[in-house]
């Protein structure tokens, strides 16, 4: 009897264990039949090796053991070129570059990107981020080599960033690996040695001094220009007054000449003698006029004329 009871118990235990295994299998199967996608994700569903993108967020169903799901982060991600984001140490193997004027500079960049086509990001390449990094390094070195060191360190950063971004976008469209460049930023740029760095700081200081000098010169010009314009206006007015005075004097002399000419026409001989005497009086004011009266060769009288003219005055 005890052997029979033990056999029954063992069979019963086996049935219960089988039922538990079946239930666990069903639970696992049911659990693996559903998956959820957040708003920051997209998914790639593979069915017998065929990939399909799942872009809607929420709860989704898949055939267990037949379909597989791969979730992809679609938020903006990034990586550094030229330095380590963990300890912020420079990596000269990536940052050291040569410029168009054969100078060396250390330039650090930060690349931001996001996945826009998850199927291509998973299957078009083994490591799309590494491909993007290689493309970025190639474009960066090509653009930096086209600018002089002064532009790289000071004035040309914005233009350089724009040019690099355009080249990377063009290269990504050719490779078509399912990722999009969001932004590229120059984090830092400096000469590789302390001496060169100090020299460029001196150049930058000189540029600032140049701007200050230009501003001061413009200020001085703005202050002096009204005064100069006032002086010019005064000179022009004085010249105009002198001009009018000379014209008036000339008109007066012409009027006097015309009046004298009228008298001359009436009696030319008398007028001519009077004009001669007046001219001689102006030219030789100290000259003494003597009237010599004679009868033949005998001298009769010699009289100075000035004594008579003085008495008459």
């Amino acid at each position: 009897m005890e052997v029979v009871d033990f056999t029954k118990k063992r069979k019963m235990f086996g049935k219960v264990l089988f039922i538990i295994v079946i239930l666990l299998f069903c639970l696992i199967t049911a659990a693996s039949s559903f998956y959820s996608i957040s708003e920051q994700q997209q998914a790639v569903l593979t069915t017998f090796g065929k990939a399909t993108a799942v872009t809607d967020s929420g709860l989704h169903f898949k055939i267990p053991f037949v379909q597989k799901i791969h979730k992809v982060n679609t938020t903006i991600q990034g990586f550094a070129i030229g330095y380590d984001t963990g300890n912020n140490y420079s990596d000269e193997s990536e940052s050291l570059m040569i410029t168009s004027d054969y100078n060396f500079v250390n330039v650090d960049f930060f690349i931001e990107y996001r996945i826009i086509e998850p199927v291509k990001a998973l299957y078009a390449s083994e490591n799309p981020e590494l491909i993007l990094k290689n493309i970025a390094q190639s474009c960066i070195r090509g653009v930096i080599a086209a600018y002089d060191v002064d532009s790289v360190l000071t004035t040309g950063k914005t233009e350089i960033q724009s040019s690099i971004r355009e080249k990377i976008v063009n290269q990504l469209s050719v490779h078509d690996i399912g990722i999009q460049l969001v932004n590229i930023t120059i984090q830092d740029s400096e000469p590789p040695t302390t001496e060169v760095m100090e020299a460029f700081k001196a150049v930058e200081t000189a540029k600032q001094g140049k701007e200050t000098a230009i501003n001061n010169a413009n200020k001085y010009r703005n202050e002096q220009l009204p005064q100069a314009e006032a002086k010019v206006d005064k000179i022009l007015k004085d010249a105009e007054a002198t001009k009018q005075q000379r014209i008036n004097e000339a008109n007066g002399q012409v009027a006097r000449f015309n009046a004298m000419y009228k008298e001359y026409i009436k009696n030319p001989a008398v007028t001519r003698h009077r004009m001669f005497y007046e001219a001689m009086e102006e030219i030789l004011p100290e000259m003494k006029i003597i009237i010599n009266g004679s009868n033949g060769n005998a001298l009769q009288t010699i009289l100075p004329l000035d004594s008579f003219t003085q008495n008459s005055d």
Side-chain angles (χ1 to χ4, degrees):
M1 292 293 295
E2 292 180 358
V3 176
V4 175
D5 292 338
F6 177 76
T7 302
K8 289 181 177 180
K9 288 181 179 179
R10 189 173 64 178
K11 291 181 178 180
M12 184 63 70
F13 177 76
K15 291 180 179 179
V16 173
L17 182 61
F18 178 75
I19 292 172
I20 292 173
V21 172
I22 293 299
L23 290 175
L24 288 175
F25 177 78
C26 292
L27 290 173
I28 293 173
T29 302
S32 62
S33 299
F34 295 92
Y35 63 95
S36 63
I37 302 176
S38 67
E39 293 183 356
Q40 291 78 30
Q41 294 177 326
Q42 290 186 13
V44 176
L45 183 67
T46 57
T47 306
F48 299 112
K50 182 179 180 181
T52 306
V54 181
T55 59
D56 297 331
S57 60
L59 189 64
H60 298 268
F61 173 80
K62 70 180 182 68
I63 302 173
F65 310 111
V66 176
Q67 294 179 318
K68 294 182 180 180
I69 193 72
H70 301 276
K71 295 182 180 180
V72 178
N73 183 7
T74 56
T75 60
I76 295 177
Q77 305 174 65
F79 58 85
I81 295 178
Y83 69 101
D84 188 343
T85 55
N87 52 31
N88 206 29
Y89 287 160
S90 177
D91 182 3
E92 288 196 353
S93 64
E94 295 181 350
S95 65
L96 188 62
M97 306 177 196
I98 189 170
T99 60
S100 63
D101 51 355
Y102 305 103
N103 285 292
F104 288 97
V105 290
N106 281 326
V107 190
D108 302 334
F109 290 85
F110 191 79
I111 308 291
E112 294 178 291
Y113 72 94
R114 65 183 174 188
I115 296 175
I116 57 173
E117 296 186 46
V119 175
K120 291 181 180 179
L122 287 175
Y123 298 106
S125 62
E126 182 177 356
N127 191 340
E129 182 177 295
L130 180 60
I131 293 176
L132 173 59
K133 186 173 183 178
N134 292 335
I135 290 173
Q137 286 181 312
S138 175
C139 294
I140 287 170
R141 292 186 181 277
V143 172
I144 293 296
Y147 287 83
D148 57 39
V149 66
D150 190 43
S151 299
V152 176
L153 296 178
T154 55
T155 58
K157 290 183 178 180
T158 301
E159 184 177 346
I160 290 172
Q161 289 177 172
S162 177
S163 180
I164 294 173
R165 175 184 172 82
E166 182 180 355
K167 288 181 178 295
I168 294 176
V169 169
N170 292 336
Q171 288 295 316
L172 286 177
S173 64
V174 173
H175 288 81
D176 196 19
I177 54 177
I179 61 177
Q180 178 188 53
L181 178 68
V182 176
N183 195 21
I184 179 169
T185 308
I186 296 179
Q187 298 295 101
D188 192 17
S189 59
E190 61 184 13
T193 63
T194 304
E195 293 79 4
V196 178
M197 189 182 303
E198 292 299 326
F200 275 102
K201 287 182 180 178
V203 171
E204 188 65 21
T205 302
K207 286 184 177 180
Q208 294 177 358
K210 171 187 173 183
E211 294 297 327
T212 301
I214 291 175
N215 293 335
N216 291 336
N218 290 332
K219 179 182 178 183
Y220 179 78
R221 181 192 65 182
N222 294 334
E223 291 175 352
Q224 296 298 320
L225 191 59
Q227 299 179 10
E229 290 177 348
K231 289 181 180 179
V232 169
D233 186 63
K234 183 177 181 301
I235 292 172
L236 291 176
K237 289 182 178 179
D238 291 344
E240 186 66 27
T242 303
K243 167 189 170 183
Q244 194 61 41
Q245 180 182 356
R246 296 289 178 86
I247 292 174
N248 293 336
E249 290 177 355
N251 290 333
Q253 291 178 2
V254 169
R256 286 194 297 272
F257 178 81
N258 290 334
M260 188 179 298
Y261 181 72
K262 289 181 180 180
E263 296 298 325
Y264 177 80
I265 292 300
K266 293 178 182 179
N267 197 338
V270 174
T271 304
R272 185 166 53 250
H273 284 93
R274 182 171 63 82
M275 291 176 62
F276 171 77
Y277 292 138
E278 289 177 353
M280 294 303 296
E281 184 177 6
E282 292 180 0
I283 296 171
L284 303 172
E286 301 298 328
M287 182 183 66
K288 294 182 180 180
I289 301 175
I290 297 175
I291 299 175
N292 183 5
S294 61
N295 185 7
N297 293 327
L299 183 62
Q300 298 294 330
T301 58
I302 299 176
L303 299 175
L305 185 62
D306 56 350
S307 61
F308 296 100
T309 57
Q310 291 174 0
N311 290 335
S312 64
D313 291 341

